[in-house]
Amino acid sequence: MDNFKKIFETTTPIWFMRQAGRYLPEYRKIRVKEKNFLDLCFNPELAAEISLQPISRFNFDFIILFSDILVVPYGLGKKVDFKENIGPILEKTNNFDELKDVDLSASIEKLEPVMRTIKILKNEKKNKQLIGFCGGPFTVLTYMFEGGTSKKHDLIKKKIKAERKDFKLLLNLITEFSIAYLKKQILNGVDIVKIFESWAGLLNKEDYNEFIIEPNRKIQKEIKKKFPEIPMIFFPRESKEKIFEFLEKVKPDVLSLDKEVPNKIFEVAKKKKIILQGNLDPLILIEGGRKLEDEVKKIMLHFSDNDHIFNLSHGILPKTPIDNVKKTLEIVKNFNETR
Ligand code: CP3
């Protein structure tokens, strides 16, 4: 951890969520040849090549493993498909009974191709650090219940209300799976891990404590117990004021911020020596021009008293112009030179 923290004495590193993806022509070229997105995630040579595409093009400071958070339901035996212009389609999960006979180590074995991708990247990453990841357990479960991306999340809300015990059993299962999966990623060579809790904002305070804070805290505790040196990034998206409780209980090394964060976060993070990551709006990155320049500089100034990793507030969008990404890196790197 000390080595990792040293980075911030001299620079603001930069990488982007979903930095490997459809806005890159070199990604689209590979993607058209492989109709099934999960097959791409499970092709170690191609997945490693895609992970490195944004590094070759932009020289981002971190590599993120090319995969998806929805490989976990696949590992648990559920069908997972990705449809163009729709997104993920999953075979629905309704109750714990469906998964109670799952053998965790056999399920994780199904994700072995991801480990082979990590091994290739470990040899090719040169001086860059590699970020491994999984979804936050609640976020993964929302996809499993809803069968895909949902606007209203009615099914999961109903489940929490009507069958809380059963819901918790499922959440525990995903949490255990995620811990074992992250450990395996670390053993195979990732240097940092990130937990994407993209749907944290759905829950009220009580449910947030039970279904967001508790599982994330458990993941933090178990990973740190075995790998105290591995930096852990948490992304409890749209937590708003609940973020302070999250910081207190989960103790992230790095907190990844969405676009609406309480102003007090800067002071609190500094006091607790938490590195902040964020938080350029992906829509402004698409817009470009003067607005983008002003916004990037504003963020650099805003975070200047904190240890900071420059990033987006959510994943990069397919329509993003390459030149705007280049421009953003240029401004951040120039800022670094003049500080
Ligand atoms: O950041 C990276 O470059 C690494 C790879 C990565 C992907 N997905 C690749 C991907 C990572 C870290 C993710 C995380 C992920 N996946 C999250 C958490 C972060 C977030 O965005 O909130 C979630 C919720 C998912 C689930 C998921 N995967 C959805 C909802 C979709 C469809 C929407 C979309 O952007 O297409 C995906 C597909 C997906 N995951 C693509 C990529 C490159 C696009 C697939 C394609 O090429 O057709």
Side-chain angles (χ1 to χ4, degrees):
M1 270 310 295
D2 287 348
N3 268 348
F4 182 69
K5 287 201 166 140
K6 262 212 171 77
I7 300 174
F8 302 93
E9 287 169 14
T10 51
T11 189
T12 299
I14 173 170
W15 69 281
F16 281 175
M17 281 187 242
R18 300 275 189 104
Q19 62 190 18
R22 285 165 299 180
Y23 74 108
L24 287 175
E26 56 271 37
Y27 171 77
R28 294 197 299 268
K29 210 169 142 190
I30 295 180
R31 182 73 174 91
V32 290
K33 283 189 274 179
E34 184 55 82
K35 282 208 168 54
N36 184 327
F37 176 70
L38 274 194
D39 285 348
L40 198 54
C41 293
F42 292 143
N43 180 323
E45 284 74 27
L46 287 181
E49 184 183 337
I50 293 169
S51 309
L52 293 170
Q53 284 176 343
I55 311 302
S56 316
R57 192 185 264 272
F58 305 113
N59 198 22
F60 278 114
D61 293 306
F62 296 105
I63 306 166
I64 180 156
L65 167 72
F66 181 77
S67 178
D68 197 86
I69 67 166
L70 299 179
V71 299
V72 167
Y74 169 83
L76 290 168
K78 294 290 177 182
K79 282 201 197 84
V80 179
D81 200 2
F82 288 81
K83 290 244 158 46
E84 213 182 327
N85 302 324
I86 299 176
I89 309 281
L90 289 83
E91 177 192 353
K92 275 190 189 160
T93 301
N94 304 296
N95 51 56
F96 180 69
D97 214 42
E98 287 172 20
L99 297 176
K100 71 173 189 329
D101 295 329
V102 157
D103 172 348
L104 268 192
S105 57
S107 303
I108 290 188
E109 200 60 32
K110 286 177 74 181
L111 306 186
E112 201 49 39
V114 177
M115 305 307 153
R116 297 216 304 276
T117 309
I118 293 170
K119 281 189 197 136
I120 298 175
L121 286 169
K122 199 178 169 191
N123 284 325
E124 293 187 13
K125 68 184 182 176
K126 300 186 181 85
N127 58 344
K128 308 269 182 200
Q129 300 200 51
L130 174 63
I131 304 172
F133 68 90
C134 68
F138 176 76
T139 296
V140 172
L141 258 187
T142 60
Y143 286 98
M144 291 174 73
F145 269 102
E146 305 288 343
T149 309
S150 164
K151 283 213 168 75
K152 291 196 175 152
H153 295 96
D154 287 337
L155 292 174
I156 194 139
K157 285 179 183 161
K158 203 170 124 203
K159 179 82 185 172
I160 289 175
K161 250 198 173 138
E163 295 167 55
R164 207 172 174 89
K165 259 204 182 133
D166 198 67
F167 179 77
K168 275 188 90 160
L169 288 172
L170 277 163
L171 198 67
N172 282 342
L173 177 72
I174 308 294
T175 306
E176 290 308 321
F177 190 105
S178 305
I179 291 166
Y181 181 42
L182 286 178
K183 281 184 181 166
K184 206 154 182 207
Q185 290 185 33
I186 295 167
L187 287 172
N188 279 282
V190 307
D191 304 292
I192 299 169
V193 293
K194 177 163 179 179
I195 292 88
F196 287 90
E197 194 71 280
S198 302
W199 291 110
L202 280 182
L203 297 177
N204 66 32
K205 198 163 173 11
E206 190 193 342
D207 291 346
Y208 182 92
N209 282 340
E210 206 167 338
F211 304 139
I212 302 296
I213 291 185
E214 279 311 317
N216 278 274
R217 171 156 81 171
K218 191 154 182 211
I219 293 174
Q220 195 272 1
K221 212 175 100 207
E222 293 302 316
I223 298 299
K224 284 288 174 183
K225 203 154 72 184
K226 189 141 191 238
F227 305 103
E229 290 305 312
I230 295 287
M232 297 184 73
I233 310 175
F234 285 84
F235 181 49
R237 195 168 72 92
E238 292 183 355
S239 288
K240 305 219 169 76
E241 286 296 325
K242 296 194 279 299
I243 200 77
F244 297 109
E245 186 94 5
F246 187 94
L247 286 190
E248 197 64 47
K249 301 245 170 82
V250 180
K251 300 185 171 54
D253 300 308
V254 182
L255 179 69
S256 185
L257 300 174
D258 56 77
K259 58 188 176 188
E260 263 185 77
V261 285
N263 232 331
K264 233 179 68 198
I265 201 77
F266 295 94
E267 186 194 323
V268 174
K270 196 174 162 76
K271 213 186 264 165
K272 292 184 184 291
K273 297 193 165 54
I274 293 169
I275 297 153
L276 293 178
Q277 174 173 284
N279 68 347
L280 177 67
D281 185 340
L283 289 174
I284 296 179
L285 186 62
I286 290 184
E287 196 176 323
R290 194 53 203 275
K291 176 133 184 218
L292 173 65
E293 281 180 38
D294 288 350
E295 188 63 22
V296 175
K297 287 177 192 162
K298 200 172 106 190
I299 290 172
M300 290 300 282
L301 284 173
H302 212 130
F303 285 75
S304 59
D305 280 342
N306 289 85
D307 291 338
H308 179 209
I309 301 173
F310 195 97
N311 206 315
L312 301 176
S313 58
H314 203 185
I316 194 166
L317 296 160
K319 274 190 285 191
T320 307
I322 301 277
D323 280 348
N324 294 354
V325 177
K326 267 198 197 127
K327 184 82 204 164
T328 304
L329 269 113
E330 236 172 70
I331 302 172
V332 171
K333 303 250 166 180
N334 279 337
F335 227 94
N336 281 336
E337 276 167 27
T338 56
R339 85 174 191 174

